[in-house]
Each structure stands twice: as C-alpha cells, then as structure tokens.
Amino acid sequence: MSNTLPPGFDGEVKGTSPKLLDNSPERDSSAERQLRRKIDSRLLPVIVFLAIMSSIDRIVISFARLEGLQSDLHLTDIQYDTVLATAYALYCPALVPSNMFLHRTTRPSLYIGCCAILWGITSGLTGLTKDYHSILACRVLLGVPEAAFYPGCSYLLSRWYTHKVLHVFRAPISTSFSCFSGAWVTLLAAAVLATLQDKFHLAAWRWLFFMEGTATVVVGILSMWLLPDYPHNTRWLNAEERRLAQLRLAKDVGEADIDSEEASIFEGLRMAMKDTKAYLFMFLAFILSLAASFINFFPTLTATLGYSTTITLLMSALVLFFVYRTGERFFHLVTYWWIAVIGFIISLSTMATAARYFSQYLMTLRFSSMCDMLFIAWVANAIPRPPGKRSVVIALTIGAGNAGILVGSYIWKESWSPQYRPSFLICLISLLAGIAITFVIRIMQIRENKRMEHLEVDELEKDARERIEKAAELEGMTFDDAFERRKRLPTIY
C-alpha cells in the first residue's frame, strides 16, 4: 500500500473549493460532519449485516442439531463437540496474517468482500455434508475467511474515525445486533424449520445453511461496492474529501496515519512483538474471555438479558456519552468489571435462587458487547501509530480473546455442579487479574505521555518524524509547530 498523499497533493488540493480548505473551526466541523455521514451511510450497513451473519453462523448449527443434523450425519456427542471446536482451528491462527494482508492491500473493500463471499459459500456447503469428515472440513475451512471480519473491520474503522468517534460509532452497533439478532434469528429459524422440511427431499436443517450462506454471499458482494478503502484512495470520495479524511486523523494524534516508506509487510508484526503493551493487551483479552466463560453455561441469562434489554441499552448509551465527553476508557471499563466481581462473590457465597439470579445479572453487565467494543477501541487508541503495528495488535488481542473462550469451556465440570464454586473462583481471580493488568497499562500510558512532553526533535525515530512531517504538510504548518502539538496530545487512557 502506498504511504504517500493523494497524487498531485503539494500543500493544497488542486482544483478544490477554497471553502473546504478554510481552516476555521466552523468550516472544518461542517465538512467533517458531511464526510462522516457519507462514510457512515456505507460502512454502517455492511458492518451490521456482516455482524449479523457472523452471529447467525454461530447460532444456526445449534438449531440444525435440534432438527436432525447430528442424527442425519451419524455424529457422536464427541464428534459434534469437535465440529464446534474446530471452527476455531484455523480462525485464530488466521487473524494476524489476515490483518497484515489487509493493511498492505490497497483495496480492503475487495478483500473483506471476497472473504465474506468465501465464508458464505463454505457455510452454505455445510448443508450438503453427508458425514462427520465432510462437515468437519467445512467448519475448519470456515475459520479462514471469517477471520477477516472482526479484526479486519475493527482495523478499517480505526483508519477512518478519530478516537472520540471510534467507540461511539462501534459500540452501539455491536450492542444492538448482539441484543436483537438472536431473537429474530430464532423466529426465522423456526419458520424455516416448520415450512421447509423435506422440501425438494432435503431436511430443513440443510435449508438453514443454504439460506445463511446465500445471505452472506449477497452481503459480501454489496460490501465490495459499499465499503471504503483507505482515506487516501477511496474511489467514491473526491480529492477534497480524501484530504479531509487524512487531515482529521493527523489532527487526532498529531501524526499522519501512515507507515514508514521502507516498512516491509512484517514490520508491524516486529514492532508489536517489541511492545510490552501488546502482550499485556493479549493477556488481558485472554483472562477476560476466561472470566466470561460462565455465559455459555447459563441458558437463563438469555432470558435475563431479554427482559432488561431497554435498561441495558440505556446504561450503555449513558456510559458511551461520558466516555465521549472525557476521552477516558480506563475507569469506565474497570467500573463495570468491579460490578461483575460483586456478582462472582455472591455466586460463590450462596445458593439462594434470588441472590444467584441477581448475581448473574451483575456479571453480564461487564460482559456486554458495549464493554467488548470499548476495550478493542482502547487497544486501537493505545497504539495509534503506525497503522501496521496497530493492525497486528488488534488481531493478536482478538485471537487471545478467542483462546480464552476455548480454555473457558473446560472449567465448568459436571463434577463441580451445582455450586460450581471452583468455576466461579477461576472467573473471579481472572477478572481481578484483569483489573490489575489494566492498572499497569494505565500507568505505562501516563509515563509515555510524560516522556512525550519532554521529547526533543533529535530523539525522534525516523518513521515517527515522517508521520509528523506528513501531518504538518497536510495541515499547512511548520514541522516545529506540528511537533510541539504532538507533544501536547496524550495517549488516550
């Protein structure tokens, strides 16, 4: 991917309106709102529908099992569990390479769209499987294209939105689809299973996979046209809008969102492996997912969340408002985690039905999609530049989180029922460790901010200097002024 400015840019955009280049706050605010609306109108629908397709893909196999998938394919319980687990076999290893490739390609819209099409085709082919080995192959292969969605879209959003907009944009989307998609997917599945049984001599569960796969392919094709590429090369933006998109990101952290011109495809990975924060975020994601493992073993939680959907969304919106106003993630995340700690302690202390029911509600407050999206936004903001490094850290963090989900499935042993005290104790210790790690990351960021305040020009690394130079060029200011402003912009924490 080219790291240069749009062709012909030499401090001003040739042939553009002088009004757009007016640096007054009113003009920039109005132009930015127009640009954001244009990006939102294309990015928002694709993210939502791909997220829904991902959610359906995880749910549909359980409905298929209820309607005869396991018996038709002659699967034992162990084989069925293996089919579920192998969806992660290639998914987790593919996350980092996928994001590295996404970062280097000039057309992320085509890459994400093609992966969605392949993911839809593979999911649809599951409806044609005849035995254990064929469905196992489908589920394993499904992980490769699906690995492009969550980390890829997270990274793409970070290439377009400033730190204040990023979490406000992403969290409501993810919270909404996760709260509501399960309900209407259940109704749709019920309708399909009731009306398409033996249609064309095919079992109803096979139609579920056909329909889910077809819908994903359609969304994938549309995403090739709807999704933006990068701020410097999106074809359906004009030169004015491309410049403004780059300018917004440069103003956000005081550096242009580019890599060094000599950086190789592995440079982001090398830089991530040298950053202690990357390892801390990975471990934090792992233990938080481990602490969240109780969700898969408490079916009544679905009813609890369904009953309180409105309250949950209002609370999420309130938290997001304060995060937006303060630019702060740490305390908003940790507050939810301490509430979950209280829930775990209650579950460890009593078997009373009312108390345990209330404790489960407290636990789910932390493990809402809003908190997960805010966490990933924090990762992206904590490592804002260069973009190659950011893409790798996002993928590594999400991969570590999925590993935590896998490990968490083994801590709820039947022999520990009905109290499950060892299980809740593991979750409690994991969450407390996560809070401690979050404090460590916060301290590191505060120290980084202090070091930046006293940084001298001759102490800048080459690639950091290049990014500040590009930011100065975009904004029409001197390098010294751009450097002084960069020193005053803190890392978000």
Side-chain angles (χ1 to χ4, degrees):
M1 181 183 69
S2 172
N3 293 315
T4 59
L5 297 174
F9 180 75
D10 57 357
E12 64 179 9
V13 182
K14 297 178 179 180
T16 60
S17 169
K19 293 183 179 180
L20 181 64
L21 301 181
D22 179 3
N23 289 324
S24 66
E26 295 80 7
R27 175 58 57 188
D28 282 345
S29 176
S30 175
E32 286 186 31
R33 284 197 299 270
Q34 293 177 16
L35 176 63
R36 236 184 2 250
R37 283 195 293 268
K38 190 169 185 178
I39 297 298
D40 289 352
S41 66
R42 288 174 173 258
L43 201 50
L44 174 60
V46 175
I47 297 271
V48 167
F49 280 103
L50 282 177
I52 290 174
M53 291 302 104
S54 178
S55 177
I56 293 175
D57 181 62
R58 299 176 192 278
I59 297 173
V60 71
I61 192 167
S62 61
F63 288 118
R65 185 190 192 188
L66 293 175
E67 289 299 317
L69 177 146
Q70 186 170 352
S71 58
D72 288 353
L73 301 185
H74 309 292
L75 304 179
T76 65
D77 288 342
I78 294 178
Q79 287 177 327
Y80 177 78
D81 291 340
T82 303
V83 167
L84 293 181
T86 50
Y88 293 93
L90 291 181
Y91 176 81
C92 290
L95 291 172
V96 173
S98 176
N99 253 28
M100 289 171 62
F101 180 82
L102 177 69
H103 167 65
R104 298 298 294 189
T105 183
T106 59
R107 298 293 306 279
S109 58
L110 291 182
Y111 176 67
I112 293 176
C114 286
C115 285
I117 292 172
L118 291 174
W119 150 25
I121 292 173
T122 306
S123 183
L125 289 175
T126 307
L128 298 176
T129 54
K130 301 296 183 181
D131 52 28
Y132 169 66
H133 295 96
S134 57
I135 192 172
L136 187 67
C138 281
R139 300 304 290 183
V140 169
L141 294 176
L142 184 65
V144 178
E146 201 167 345
F149 166 60
Y150 189 30
C153 288
S154 298
Y155 173 65
L156 187 60
L157 286 167
S158 75
R159 293 296 302 265
W160 283 98
Y161 293 97
T162 62
H163 72 265
K164 278 193 171 183
V165 177
L166 183 60
H167 60 270
V168 176
F169 177 79
R170 295 177 70 246
I173 298 172
S174 300
T175 303
S176 297
F177 85 74
S178 62
C179 286
F180 295 116
S181 65
W184 71 263
V185 168
T186 301
L187 295 175
L188 178 62
V192 171
L193 295 173
T195 59
L196 294 181
Q197 180 63 35
D198 294 326
K199 197 74 171 179
F200 298 108
H201 306 290
L202 292 173
W205 66 263
R206 297 184 184 274
W207 286 106
L208 281 176
F209 286 107
F210 295 157
M211 295 179 68
E212 187 265 332
T214 301
T216 303
V217 169
V218 171
V219 175
I221 293 173
L222 291 176
S223 67
M224 293 181 178
W225 171 68
L226 290 172
L227 280 177
D229 291 312
Y230 294 122
H232 72 277
N233 72 336
T234 295
R235 294 178 299 172
W236 41 265
L237 294 179
N238 58 41
E240 299 177 352
E241 293 166 327
R242 289 196 295 269
R243 175 198 179 266
L244 181 58
Q246 296 173 86
L247 179 59
R248 291 173 64 247
L249 295 178
K251 285 182 176 180
D252 191 38
V253 298
E255 299 180 16
D257 197 25
I258 61 173
D259 290 308
S260 171
E261 294 181 358
E262 295 82 18
S264 69
I265 190 173
F266 297 103
E267 182 66 15
L269 178 61
R270 184 189 67 81
M271 296 179 71
M273 293 296 95
K274 293 172 62 178
D275 193 331
T276 304
K277 290 200 302 295
Y279 294 99
L280 290 175
F281 277 125
M282 289 170 61
F283 187 54
L284 181 57
F286 175 84
I287 59 179
L288 289 178
S289 295
L290 182 62
S293 61
F294 74 93
I295 291 177
N296 295 325
F297 295 85
F298 282 86
T300 55
L301 289 176
T302 303
T304 304
L305 290 175
Y307 179 75
S308 59
T309 294
T310 302
I311 297 175
T312 301
L313 289 175
L314 289 174
M315 291 180 64
S316 297
L318 182 61
V319 170
L320 288 169
F321 171 78
F322 283 114
V323 172
Y324 176 78
R325 297 299 298 177
T326 63
E328 192 277 330
R329 275 90 173 143
F330 171 80
F331 287 110
H332 291 89
L333 285 170
V334 171
T335 298
Y336 270 83
W337 297 347
W338 277 117
I339 293 174
V341 165
I342 296 172
F344 284 131
I345 292 174
I346 293 174
S347 291
L348 277 167
S349 305
T350 181
M351 282 294 294
T353 301
R356 278 221 163 183
Y357 188 84
F358 177 67
S359 72
Q360 291 171 6
Y361 176 75
L362 294 180
M363 288 183 282
T364 58
L365 286 179
R366 170 272 171 259
F367 299 106
S368 67
S369 294
M370 184 278 295
C371 284
D372 292 338
M373 295 304 100
L374 187 55
F375 174 62
I376 295 300
W378 183 31
V379 174
N381 290 325
I383 306 178
R385 302 292 187 269
K389 177 183 177 182
R390 185 172 74 242
S391 69
V392 172
V393 175
I394 289 174
L396 287 172
T397 302
I398 293 172
N402 279 282
I405 294 173
L406 286 176
V407 174
S409 64
Y410 293 97
I411 69 172
W412 298 88
K413 298 180 180 181
E414 184 65 27
S415 59
W416 292 347
S417 65
Q419 293 87 357
Y420 287 107
R421 286 198 174 92
S423 307
F424 280 113
L425 185 60
I426 292 172
C427 291
L428 175 61
I429 293 173
S430 298
L431 192 51
L432 289 173
I435 293 173
I437 293 172
T438 307
F439 270 99
V440 173
I441 296 174
R442 175 178 172 81
I443 292 171
M444 291 177 65
Q445 289 183 282
I446 292 174
R447 289 179 177 176
E448 288 177 0
N449 291 336
K450 290 182 178 178
R451 284 197 299 269
M452 177 59 69
E453 290 175 0
H454 299 92
L455 187 67
E456 299 297 333
V457 173
D458 55 7
E459 295 175 338
L460 281 174
E461 295 182 358
K462 181 182 177 182
D463 57 341
R465 187 182 183 93
E466 289 177 358
R467 291 193 295 271
I468 296 175
E469 287 174 346
K470 291 294 185 182
E473 188 177 3
L474 276 168
E475 298 187 58
M477 63 170 58
T478 66
F479 173 81
D480 289 339
D481 289 341
F483 176 67
E484 288 301 318
R485 191 195 56 184
R486 173 64 187 94
K487 292 168 63 175
R488 295 192 300 270
L489 292 173
T491 302
I492 304 303
Y493 50 78

